[in-house]
Amino acid sequence: MHLRFFSIILSFLFIYHCGQAQTKSFTRHDTLRGSLSPLRTCYDVHFYNLKLKIDPDKKYINGCNSIYFKIIEPTTRIQIDLSSRLKIDSILFHNETLNYERDSNAVFINFKKVLAQTSSDSISFFYSGNPIEAKNPPWDGGFVWAKDAIGKPWIGVACEGDGASLWWPCKDHPSDEPDSVQTIFSVPKGLKCISNGNLEQEVCDKDFHTYRWKVHYPINNYNVTLNIGNYTEIKDEYIRPDGTILDLRYYVLLQNEDKAMEYFQQVKPMLKCFEEYFGKYPFPKDGYAIVETPYLGMEHQSAIAYGNKFRKNMLGYDYIVIHESAHEWWGNNVSACDHGDLWIQESFTTYAEALFVECIFDFNTSVNYLLRQRNYIKNSEPVKGPSNVNYHYWKDSDMYYKGSWMLHTLRSVLDNDSLWFSILKDIQQQYSQKQICSDELINFISQKGMINLRPFFNQYLLHTDIPAFEYKLKRKKNKFYLVYRMRASENGFSIPIKLKLQSGKTITLIADQVFKKVELEENDLKDFKIPTDLYYISGEKLN
Ligand SMILES: [Zn+2]
C-alpha cells in the first residue's frame, strides 16, 4: 500500500528512523471490520455508484452510495461499514426504507424478506456529515482540507488502514473488490475534482460543478479517492517499444504546470522497466495518472497520489513516483486478501524499487540501494500480520524492507534469473485483478520454483530472528576446513549459500540446521566473508 515516510529519506539522504515498535491490541471494531462474518460472505459487491456533494467551507459531505451486489447465501441481513461519526439519512431497497442497527463502524441492515441466492440487487445508502480529518496523512487517514500556495482549497482523502468506510459506506474488507466503480462528485464552482479512472462527464450549475468518473476494473475500496483543487491536466503518452500507446495524465496545481511536464518524464522509463519485469500496465482503459496531493503519496489506482514536492533523489528519480506506481502491479492488480497479508503488496512494491534501480543502472547499484533499505529492518514483529482483524501496523516497517530483502534473498536462493523473473510475471498474470492470501502465493511460488519454499517464507514472515550462518575455520594436519550450519527458528529452514572464494572459485553450500564440513584451500580461509549483500542472513564465527 503506501510508502512510510522514512522511505522518502531513502532518496540517499541521511536517514532518521522514527518508528517505535508497539504491541497492537485489537478492538471489537477491528474484528467487525477485519473478519469475514456470514453477514459479509453472504453477498458479493460488483459495483459502487458513489455520488457526493463536498462543501469545503463546512468540511461537510452528503450524498448516496448505491451498492450493487449478488447474493451468495440467502439472507435477510447484511453488514455494511460506515464511520460512526457520519449520519445515515436513509437506506432504500426497491424504494422502501430499510431498518438497520449500528455497532461501532458497522451497519447491520435488515431486509423485509429473504434475498434469494444468485439474485442481483442494490441498495441506496444516503448519508452525510463531517468525515474525520487526517492527523498525519497518509498514515493516519481521513480528509485533508488544505489550501494551496495561492489560498485556494486543496482537498484530498487518504484512508488505507482506516478504511474507505471512514468516508463512504461499503463492504470494507480487502477480499471483496467491486468489478468497477462510478464516482460523481459535486464541488464548488471554480474547483476541479479528480477521481480514479476516466472523466466521463462534467456538468456545471449555478454554484457547483459535477464530475462523473468511471473505473473500468476491480479496485480496492481504499484506492477510491477524490482530489479537489485548482488543477490543470497535462496529457502525455507512453509509446511502447512495440508501438502501442498508454495514455498518461498528470494533474497538478496550476502554478506547477510548467515544471510538471518535464518532471514527470521519469514516468516513461519507469513504465518501460515495470512492464518488462511485471507485464503490461494492468489498467489500460483507465490510463496511468498522477494527481498532486497535499499529502506525501498513496497508490490510488489510476489516480496515484503524489505529494513529494518535485524532489528527486541522488539517482535522479522521485521514489514516491516509483513506489506508488509499482503498486499498480503489486497491490492494485494483485491484491492481498486480508489485512494480515499486506506484506504481499508492500514487500513486492519495495523490492520493485530496487528492480527499477537495476533496470536503469545495474545490479550493483541496486544492491547498494537494497543495503540502504536493510538499515531499516527492525525484526521486532513478524512481517505477516494476524488475519481477520483490521491489522494496519504502520509503525513497523518490516513488511516493506524485510519483505524486500526476503525477495532479494529468494532470487539468490533460486540462482536462476530467468526463472525468478518469470515467477514475478506469472504471479501478475495468474492473479491479475484478484485477491490472494499468503498460503496460496507461497504454494504458487514453490510450484513455479520447483522447491518447497514454505520453511523459507515461514522463517522470514513469521519469525523475527535473522537466520545465522554459523561457521568455524579449522586446520587439521595440512588440511583446511569450513564447518558450518544455518541457525533459524523455523524447522526445516535450509538455503543454498553461494560463496565466492579468494581463489576465484565459487562453491554452493546447502546450509541447514546440522553442522557440515567442507575442505577448502588455505588461502580461501583468509578474509573469509559471508555474502550478506545477497542473502538476508547474519554470519557468526564460532570459536
Ligand atoms: Zn507502499
Side-chain angles (χ1 to χ4, degrees):
M1 317 222 165
H2 61 250
L3 188 67
R4 293 180 57 81
F5 77 87
F6 30 79
S7 289
I8 28 165
I9 312 168
L10 258 184
S11 306
F12 296 1
L13 300 171
F14 286 105
I15 287 158
Y16 177 60
H17 201 223
C18 298
Q20 290 294 318
Q22 285 176 9
T23 303
K24 170 92 173 120
S25 59
F26 295 102
T27 62
R28 175 170 167 73
H29 159 64
D30 292 323
T31 302
L32 283 169
R33 260 269 282 128
S35 65
L36 280 172
S37 71
L39 298 182
R40 290 173 127 187
T41 54
C42 68
Y43 73 102
D44 176 22
V45 174
H46 58 87
F47 180 60
Y48 290 117
N49 187 17
L50 176 62
K51 192 175 178 188
L52 280 183
K53 192 178 247 192
I54 294 100
D55 184 338
D57 290 337
K58 293 182 182 151
K59 298 183 177 177
Y60 181 83
I61 60 173
N62 75 302
C64 172
N65 187 25
S66 297
I67 303 170
Y68 293 76
F69 53 85
K70 289 184 184 112
I71 295 296
I72 308 296
E73 289 290 333
T75 189
T76 54
R77 189 171 158 90
I78 61 170
Q79 178 186 334
I80 297 281
D81 307 281
L82 181 69
S83 165
S84 58
R85 57 183 289 140
L86 294 171
K87 181 173 162 272
I88 299 174
D89 296 317
S90 63
I91 302 172
L92 298 185
F93 178 66
H94 297 183
N95 292 322
E96 278 191 45
T97 304
L98 295 179
N99 293 324
Y100 58 85
E101 297 107 46
R102 303 187 81 165
D103 182 346
S104 66
N105 297 333
V107 183
F108 297 102
I109 299 171
N110 302 307
F111 293 90
K112 288 171 186 160
K113 59 177 182 130
V114 177
L115 301 185
Q117 202 171 356
T118 72
S119 65
S120 183
D121 236 318
S122 69
I123 54 168
S124 296
F125 195 123
F126 293 85
Y127 71 108
S128 54
N130 299 98
I132 192 162
E133 282 189 56
K135 288 191 196 84
N136 181 28
W139 301 283
D140 287 319
F143 264 69
V144 183
W145 306 94
K147 293 262 164 74
D148 70 12
I150 55 169
K152 289 212 172 192
W154 190 20
I155 298 156
V157 59
C159 59
E160 191 192 12
D162 303 272
S165 53
L166 75 74
W167 69 285
W168 58 281
C170 56
K171 180 176 170 181
D172 209 357
H173 191 276
S175 65
D176 192 359
E177 293 188 8
D179 301 331
S180 61
V181 165
Q182 180 169 267
T183 56
I184 304 171
F185 296 128
S186 297
V187 302
K189 215 169 171 177
L191 294 173
K192 295 234 162 72
C193 182
I194 318 300
S195 184
N196 315 75
N198 297 135
L199 178 62
E200 299 212 315
Q201 193 187 42
E202 280 183 63
V203 179
C204 234
D205 66 19
K206 198 166 134 272
D207 300 315
F208 278 83
H209 202 127
T210 300
Y211 297 82
R212 176 157 63 85
W213 292 81
K214 177 80 197 279
V215 179
H216 295 88
Y217 302 92
I219 180 169
N220 293 320
N221 292 344
Y222 75 85
N223 269 325
V224 174
T225 197
L226 55 75
N227 303 276
I228 301 166
N230 187 26
Y231 283 111
T232 185
E233 178 185 13
I234 300 171
K235 285 188 173 165
D236 202 355
E237 285 180 339
Y238 168 53
I239 304 171
R240 297 190 177 92
D242 67 4
T244 56
I245 290 172
L246 175 67
D247 288 332
L248 313 177
R249 300 183 312 272
Y250 314 123
Y251 300 95
V252 295
L253 295 178
L254 193 59
Q255 59 265 37
N256 293 329
E257 186 174 16
D258 290 345
K259 65 178 157 193
M261 182 65 180
E262 169 61 29
Y263 192 79
F264 290 124
Q265 287 305 309
Q266 61 187 299
V267 163
K268 292 173 199 173
M270 174 198 72
L271 288 171
K272 185 167 186 285
C273 290
F274 286 162
E275 288 203 334
E276 273 171 24
Y277 288 133
F278 312 136
K280 282 205 166 162
Y281 177 75
F283 313 108
K285 257 195 229 170
D286 291 347
Y288 170 94
I290 288 179
V291 190
E292 190 179 357
T293 50
Y295 54 90
L296 184 60
M298 178 62 81
E299 64 264 28
H300 295 145
Q301 186 173 310
S302 62
I304 294 164
Y306 170 78
N308 197 26
K309 300 181 170 42
F310 303 93
R311 288 181 301 205
K312 288 182 179 172
N313 65 11
M314 280 169 64
L315 291 173
Y317 292 88
D318 187 321
Y319 274 82
I320 292 295
V321 175
I322 308 300
H323 180 96
E324 305 304 350
S325 298
H327 271 306
E328 293 286 31
W329 283 265
W330 303 104
N332 299 352
N333 189 38
V334 176
S335 312
C337 74
D338 187 280
H339 290 104
D341 298 299
L342 282 178
W343 70 270
I344 295 172
Q345 308 192 172
E346 293 304 346
S347 301
F348 281 91
T349 294
T350 310
Y351 178 65
E353 294 176 31
L355 286 183
F356 167 76
V357 174
E358 180 173 342
C359 174
I360 297 291
F361 299 94
D362 51 36
F363 182 70
N364 285 344
T365 314
S366 131
V367 169
N368 285 334
Y369 185 78
L370 281 157
L371 288 169
R372 286 178 174 84
Q373 288 186 344
R374 188 171 168 140
N375 292 330
Y376 298 104
I377 300 176
K378 292 170 158 186
N379 289 311
S380 62
E381 297 278 338
V383 168
K384 186 187 175 314
S387 300
N388 301 316
V389 284
N390 187 37
Y391 182 76
H392 56 104
Y393 191 49
W394 304 130
K395 287 198 162 63
D396 193 313
S397 51
D398 279 3
M399 70 172 165
Y400 296 76
Y401 305 119
K402 188 172 173 182
S404 176
W405 265 86
M406 174 180 72
L407 297 172
H408 178 55
T409 304
L410 180 54
R411 178 180 177 179
S412 305
V413 165
L414 294 175
D415 193 27
N416 178 342
D417 273 359
S418 63
L419 176 64
W420 174 236
F421 286 108
S422 75
I423 289 174
L424 295 179
K425 255 191 192 155
D426 287 348
I427 297 168
Q428 281 294 322
Q429 218 163 29
Q430 177 76 19
Y431 298 103
S432 174
Q433 290 162 28
K434 291 193 176 84
Q435 298 82 48
I436 186 172
C437 306
S438 299
D439 282 349
E440 194 178 355
L441 182 59
I442 293 166
N443 289 343
F444 183 79
I445 300 175
S446 295
Q447 197 189 12
K448 292 279 166 189
M450 292 180 291
I451 171 176
N452 175 17
L453 291 167
R454 175 69 53 178
F456 175 90
F457 278 104
N458 281 356
Q459 174 60 41
Y460 287 110
L461 293 176
L462 307 180
H463 301 284
T464 54
D465 62 311
I466 307 173
F469 185 84
E470 294 180 332
Y471 66 100
K472 289 179 202 174
L473 305 173
K474 277 197 166 174
R475 179 182 182 150
K476 204 170 181 185
K477 296 182 182 165
N478 278 333
K479 292 195 169 181
F480 298 89
Y481 298 96
L482 172 72
V483 179
Y484 64 94
R485 73 155 189 165
M486 189 64 79
R487 193 190 70 223
S489 291
E490 180 67 21
N491 275 336
F493 179 81
S494 154
I495 55 173
I497 304 283
K498 208 169 171 178
L499 292 175
K500 273 198 184 121
L501 303 175
Q502 290 288 333
S503 58
K505 219 170 59 177
T506 300
I507 56 165
T508 301
L509 306 175
I510 309 291
D512 56 26
Q513 276 135 333
V514 178
F515 278 105
K516 291 181 191 149
K517 188 164 82 170
V518 62
E519 188 182 342
L520 299 176
E521 305 285 326
E522 181 178 14
N523 202 28
D524 289 332
L525 302 187
K526 285 180 196 156
D527 199 25
F528 182 81
K529 280 199 186 83
I530 305 301
T532 48
D533 55 339
L534 298 177
Y535 304 86
Y536 189 56
I537 57 173
S538 63
E540 285 183 23
K541 192 173 177 187
L542 305 174
N543 293 319

